[in-house]
């Protein structure tokens, strides 16, 4: 039989929101990438591991870090388990209670070793784990937290080519900047005039833009980096009743899941940019859904 | 731009389990159908509403029933909201606490009216709600619980044609029989010799087979209905540490989610049939994933 690509994601039009908001709104569902419960971290980690495996020994140990309910950690754990690697996750935040609600169920199920530490202990813990594995003669790949690496950027740069035509805007949740740098590079590579707008889920504008610039494979004027920090709702993993009620309105209109940490804020920002006229009526907009249903189900409202 | 079909689902090979179990194992991911958080209830309810809308008035009120964390109720609620219908869900079991964990978050978000009743009150409640809407002059569609209707069967009969070649076996979670009847009818329509094996998640064998026969559009010998009741783990929504540890092993090997109510039992049954030799080595098997991640996340272990 012929396989569907296990990295591909659907693209379709959000009919009701298009009518309601007066734009031609499409959604790219990276949350539905079949592999390892999907999301943007799948694209990034596949690329990182591909690069690490080139010409060298097959990795035997993977080490990475993240928050207590990290999508990235879940992907590394599942990827490592499938490839037969030993996986160490260095996690900050409180150890979640044993439950089936979120990412932690999946990385525990995958058999990853978890190390819960205070944030200042992340670096030393990774170093200690890496040394111990190297002393045992094993090949180790240390994957940056969030898959924040040039290979991750390249993965998103390539993903842009999955869009059959150039939209006027791509809007997405922007964290540490890798996805946005990739989308910007991809648009540039294709010679499109598409504006890539990242809605910050945590960082203030200046810091966010600088980090994106660092990741870009080519020089970019700062003013072409649209990184909007007005929809952070107080910061990473913070939210408000207004945001909850907004994601519920999108569930009602389109039957798609958004979470309160990433995609909910991004869609909220998009609506505001449309309302204010900054994204003009009739524009073709792709909302790039980067995943996070497990962030929603693990949240206490 | 060109849309991906919002009803289509990926199909790919489970490489590691194929090697481990000695069969040619593929997975059809209906849990990744983009619409309304996916699963087999999407196919069924789209077909039911299409049929109800043919030649008549656009439905204004949808009424259905299900358990407190029903996938079917979630799909009807989201479908109704998107179409601008008023939706009534008659649910048995305890009203779930307000949380973001499971199906109930989505049907509450969709704005569906929920009516929690004892099981003997399901019928009378539906009748009362239907009458009230009809008296207001509105067009009502009462959708059977679970989407258990001939249109739902036909939807699965058509879905079989999405497989590019005839496998030796299709294995799936079988509840009240609609999905299985559809898959059987689809295989028959295509003239395939594929064996369709339903793993019962609740019902005993004789009862289950009789219900499937009732739903079939053509006559079928009882002995061609492979409905296996040996993997129920004590009944509907019941499970055991062995089942939990089995779904964790599949998460480890293939990075796919299974739940403890439906797909976990089905995959467990499949492994047992392979182990016992009833499904011979080398057989091409399609595991049809019918959805249920939200059943997993709403479960208390």
């Amino acid at each position: 039989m012929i396989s569907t690509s296990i990295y591909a994601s659907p693209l379709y039009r959000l009919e009701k929101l298009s009518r309601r908001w007066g734009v031609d709104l499409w959604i790219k569902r990276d949350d539905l990438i079949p592999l390892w419960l999907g999301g943007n971290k799948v694209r990034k980690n596949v690329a990182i591991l591909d690069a690490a495996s080139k010409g060298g020994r097959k990795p035997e140990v993977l080490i990475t870090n993240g928050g207590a309910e990290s999508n990235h950690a879940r992907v590394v754990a599942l990827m490592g388990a499938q490839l037969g690697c030993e996986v160490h996750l260095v996690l900050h935040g409180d150890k979640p209670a044993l439950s089936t609600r979120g990412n932690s169920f999946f990385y525990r199920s995958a058999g990853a070793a978890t190390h819960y530490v205070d944030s200042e202990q992340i670096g030393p813990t990774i170093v200690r784990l890496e040394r111990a594995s190297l002393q045992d003669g094993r090949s180790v790949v240390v994957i940056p937290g969030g898959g924040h690496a040039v290979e991750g950027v390249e993965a998103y740069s390539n993903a842009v080519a999955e869009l059959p035509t150039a939209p006027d805007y791509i809007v997405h949740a922007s964290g540490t900047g890798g996805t946005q740098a990739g989308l910007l590079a991809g648009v540039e590579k294709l010679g499109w005039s598409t504006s890539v707008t990242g809605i910050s889920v945590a960082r203030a504008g200046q810091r966010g833009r600088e980090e994106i610039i660092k990741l870009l494979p080519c020089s970019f004027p700062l003013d072409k980096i649209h990184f909007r920090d007005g929809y952070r709702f107080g910061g990473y993993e913070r939210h408000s009743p207004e945001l909850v009620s907004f994601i519920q309105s999108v569930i009602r209109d389109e039957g798609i899941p958004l979470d309160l940490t990433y995609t909910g804020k991004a869609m909220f920002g998009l609506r505001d940019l449309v309302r204010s006229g900054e994204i003009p009526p009739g524009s073709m907009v792709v909302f790039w859904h980067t995943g996070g249903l497990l962030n929603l189900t693990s949240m206490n409202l």
Side-chain angles (χ1 to χ4, degrees), chain A:
Chain A
M1 289 205 278
I2 298 159
S3 281
T4 314
S5 164
I6 49 178
Y7 310 113
S9 69
L11 170 76
Y12 61 94
R13 192 164 189 266
L14 296 176
E15 301 291 346
K16 203 159 178 179
L17 289 184
S18 288
R19 277 199 303 280
R20 214 184 270 293
W21 296 356
V23 288
D24 181 22
L25 181 58
W26 294 70
I27 190 163
K28 179 72 173 158
R29 297 282 305 269
D30 273 10
D31 60 319
L32 296 182
I33 290 175
L35 211 57
W36 308 323
L37 284 95
N40 60 345
K41 305 305 183 188
V42 172
R43 291 189 194 268
K44 293 181 183 186
N45 281 299
V46 166
I48 290 168
L49 205 73
D50 273 358
S53 309
K54 250 177 210 138
R57 264 167 77 189
K58 182 184 160 298
E60 292 164 310
V61 180
L62 306 181
I63 304 171
T64 197
N65 67 292
E69 277 293 347
S70 159
N71 295 305
H72 166 69
R74 178 246 308 158
V75 169
V76 173
L78 295 177
M79 177 173 77
Q82 208 173 343
L83 299 172
C85 301
E86 181 178 305
V87 176
H88 290 275
L89 305 174
V90 179
L91 304 167
H92 59 276
D94 293 330
K95 181 172 181 167
L98 275 170
S99 86
T100 54
R101 300 175 65 169
N103 284 301
S104 62
F105 176 74
F106 289 94
Y107 48 75
R108 280 193 300 236
S109 298
T114 52
H115 310 267
Y116 291 90
V117 301
D118 291 338
S119 56
E120 69 273 17
Q121 285 305 310
I122 295 170
T125 307
I126 290 175
V127 169
R128 182 176 59 72
L129 289 165
E130 186 186 20
R131 273 195 202 140
S133 292
L134 290 173
Q135 276 167 5
D136 291 347
R138 294 192 293 167
S139 59
V140 184
V141 177
V142 177
I143 299 179
H148 190 74
V150 288
E151 295 84 3
V153 173
E154 208 186 322
Y156 264 89
S157 168
N158 295 332
V160 176
E162 292 177 18
L163 301 180
T165 42
D168 301 312
Y169 294 86
I170 295 173
V171 178
H172 68 100
S174 201
T176 55
T179 301
Q180 186 161 1
L183 293 171
L184 277 163
V187 160
E188 189 75 10
K189 197 164 62 178
L190 292 164
W192 290 356
S193 59
T194 305
S195 161
V196 175
T197 301
I199 307 295
S200 175
V201 301
R203 282 184 180 158
Q206 184 63 20
R207 163 94 195 282
R209 275 185 286 276
E210 285 166 5
E211 291 294 324
I212 293 164
I213 297 262
K214 280 190 211 162
L215 286 166
L216 279 165
C218 43
S219 76
F220 252 82
L222 205 61
D223 64 353
K224 271 188 82 175
I225 314 288
H226 305 289
F227 181 81
R228 309 297 298 252
D229 66 2
Y231 312 102
R232 290 181 289 162
F233 291 84
Y236 187 66
E237 289 183 337
R238 308 276 300 263
H239 55 86
S240 75
E242 187 188 13
L243 185 60
V244 174
S245 121
F246 173 74
I247 75 160
Q248 293 189 299
S249 80
V250 175
I251 289 169
R252 207 153 50 237
D253 285 341
E254 295 289 356
I256 52 169
L258 298 175
D259 70 286
L260 297 164
T261 308
Y262 300 102
T263 54
K265 292 180 182 180
M267 188 69 98
F268 188 96
L270 167 58
R271 184 188 60 169
D272 194 64
L273 296 174
V274 169
R275 276 193 176 168
S276 71
E278 198 171 323
I279 293 181
S283 302
M284 182 189 277
V285 181
V286 170
F287 179 80
W288 206 299
H289 193 306
T290 47
L293 176 61
L294 292 172
N295 298 111
L296 176 65
T297 60
S298 66
M299 191 156 270
N300 289 314
L301 281 193

